[in-house]
Amino acid sequence: KGSFGLDLLDMSGDRSDIRLNFVCNQLIAVFRKVLYRDQPEGFGPIFESYFRNALMLLVLGSSTSSSLSDFDRVFGDPKYRADLLANCKDEMVVRFWKQTAVRAGGEAALENIAPYIVSKLTQFTGSPLIRPIIDGSRANVNFGRVFDDSGILLINLAKGVVGETDAALVGTLFTIDLFSTALARTSVRRQERARVRLYLDEFQTYASDVLSQMLAECRKFGLELVLANQSLAQISGARSRPDVADAILANVGTVLAFRTGPRDARLLEDWFAPSLSAAALMRLPDHIFAARLLQNGTPLEPFIVRSHGMRTVRTHAIDTKTNDAPESYDSEAVEGKK
C-alpha cells in the first residue's frame, strides 16, 4: 500500500518501436473515448498528427527519461522543442516539426493548434491525483516484474474517493501499460509465459478500445481477464464508445450471471438457452447465480450455483418452467469445472 507512479513513456526492453506506436494509439483513444467521448469531432486527423508527432518527439528526442507531464512543453517551450529535435534520430518526426508544422497555415498552424491540444491535457497535468502519477516523481509500477515474479498488485480506484473521471482515466492508463507489457511477451515462448490474471471490478469505468483489444488478444499472451459489473447497459453501444458488451460476450469463456433485469436477461438468454430462459435469469434468488463454463474449449451445459462466501454448500439447477430443482451440484464440483 502506498504511492505509485506510472511511466507510459518508458520504452526500454524489446520492440520499443511497437510499444511507442501502441501507446500513441491508445492515448489518442483515451481522449476520444474516455475524456471527451461526447465531442468526437474535436479529434480529427490534424489533432492526431500533432499529438502523435509531439509524443514521439518527446520520447525519441529526450536524452534523459521523459514523462507525460512534459508533453505541453513540446508546444509551449521553443527551446525545449529545439533540443528534442537536435537529439531525435527519426527523420519523419523531425521533418514534421521543421517543415509541416512550421509551414502550416490557418487553423492547422502551430500557434493555433498548440493551445487547443495543450488544453486537452489539463485532465492529466492539472489533476492533483494524476499529475504525481505521471510526472516521474514516484516509484513506478513495473508490470513486467509483477508478471515474472507471479506477484500480486492491488490498485484502489474507488470512484467515491478519487472521482469518476479520474478513476476512469487512471484505470485506463494502467490498462494501457498492462496490455503493452503483455504484448511485449511475444519474445517469450508461449509455453514459458506465466499466467497472469487481471480482475477489473466495475470494469465499465475502463471500457475503452484497449479493453476490447485485450479481450480478443489476451489469451495468446497468457493474460486472463475477470470482469465484473452490474449491467450490460453500462457498456453496450454508448455514443462514441465501442460496443464492449458484444466484444465481451463473443470472447469470454465463462459467464456468471446473478439475477438480472429484463434487458440483460434477454441478451444473456442466448448464452444460457435452452437450459435457462430469460425469465429464469430474472427469477434467480439472492446469492444464486447462473454459470456457463468453458471446459477444454467446449461450453458446458449451464447450471445454477448457490454462493455463500467461501463455504462449501449444496447447489441446485432450477427448472426454467417450474422453478423446481431437479438436479444438484456443489461448489467444489463447480471449482473443479473451472
Side-chain angles (χ1 to χ4, degrees), residues 82-95:
D83 290 341
L84 293 176
L85 285 168
N87 291 325
C88 183
K89 305 303 181 185
D90 190 304
E91 294 181 0
M92 292 187 65
V93 174
V94 173
R95 186 162 58 247

Side-chain angles (χ1 to χ4, degrees), residues 73 95-96 100 106 126 138 154 178 193 230 270 294:
R73 295 183 63 194
R95 186 162 58 247
F96 174 86
T100 305
R138 300 180 177 184
L154 302 177
L178 189 149
R193 295 172 193 162
Q230 298 180 22
D270 290 340
L294 194 68

Side-chain angles (χ1 to χ4, degrees), residues 56-310:
M56 294 183 72
L57 178 62
L58 181 61
V59 173
L60 300 176
S62 296
S63 55
T64 58
S65 61
S66 55
S67 71
L68 281 175
S69 61
D70 298 318
F71 187 91
D72 57 345
R73 295 183 63 194
V74 177
F75 293 95
D77 188 338
K79 184 181 183 304
Y80 181 70
R81 185 169 64 247
D83 290 341
L84 293 176
L85 285 168
N87 291 325
C88 183
K89 305 303 181 185
D90 190 304
E91 294 181 0
M92 292 187 65
V93 174
V94 173
R95 186 162 58 247
F96 174 86
W97 287 103
K98 288 188 174 182
Q99 298 181 21
T100 305
V102 171
R103 296 176 183 174
E107 292 183 357
L110 178 59
E111 60 269 22
N112 291 330
I113 200 72
Y116 173 76
I117 294 181
V118 170
S119 69
K120 300 300 183 186
L121 295 170
T122 304
Q123 196 66 47
F124 287 100
T125 59
S127 168
L129 170 70
I130 297 175
R131 183 175 178 82
I133 294 175
I134 64 173
D135 69 2
S137 63
R138 300 180 177 184
N140 292 319
V141 174
N142 188 327
F143 283 112
R145 189 171 63 187
V146 175
F147 284 12
D148 295 338
D149 297 344
S150 300
I152 297 175
L153 174 65
L154 302 177
I155 300 175
N156 182 8
L157 295 176
K159 289 185 287 186
V161 177
V162 302
E164 184 172 0
T165 299
D166 282 350
L169 184 53
V170 175
T172 302
L173 294 179
F174 270 104
T175 306
I176 291 172
D177 196 22
L178 189 149
F179 190 33
S180 178
T181 303
L183 292 175
R185 302 176 87 196
T186 52
S187 58
V188 180
R189 291 193 301 176
R190 179 170 295 191
Q191 58 269 30
E192 296 177 359
R193 295 172 193 162
R195 284 189 170 187
V196 177
R197 186 166 292 171
L198 170 64
Y199 295 85
L200 291 178
D201 189 24
E202 299 290 350
F203 76 93
Q204 76 279 355
T205 305
Y206 329 113
S208 62
D209 284 340
V210 67
L211 186 56
S212 298
Q213 294 174 31
M214 288 174 69
L215 287 164
E217 302 285 342
C218 64
R219 287 189 184 91
K220 66 183 73 170
F221 301 109
L223 181 61
E224 301 176 353
L225 301 182
V226 180
L227 309 176
N229 87 317
Q230 298 180 22
S231 170
L232 293 176
Q234 295 172 312
I235 53 171
S236 181
R239 181 171 179 250
S240 305
R241 299 175 67 179
D243 196 339
V244 183
D246 285 349
I248 291 167
L249 294 176
N251 286 286
V252 297
T254 295
V255 180
L256 307 179
F258 286 85
R259 184 172 60 243
T260 68
R263 183 179 184 277
D264 283 354
R266 289 192 295 270
L267 291 172
L268 291 171
E269 185 176 27
D270 290 340
W271 274 261
F272 289 95
S275 302
L276 295 168
S277 66
L281 294 173
M282 290 189 291
R283 293 201 304 267
L284 292 173
D286 290 348
H287 311 297
I288 289 179
F289 61 88
R292 195 212 69 167
L293 307 184
L294 194 68
Q295 186 177 55
N296 298 324
T298 302
L300 299 179
E301 190 72 15
F303 55 93
I304 297 296
V305 181
R306 183 184 302 276
S307 171
H308 280 302
M310 298 302 294

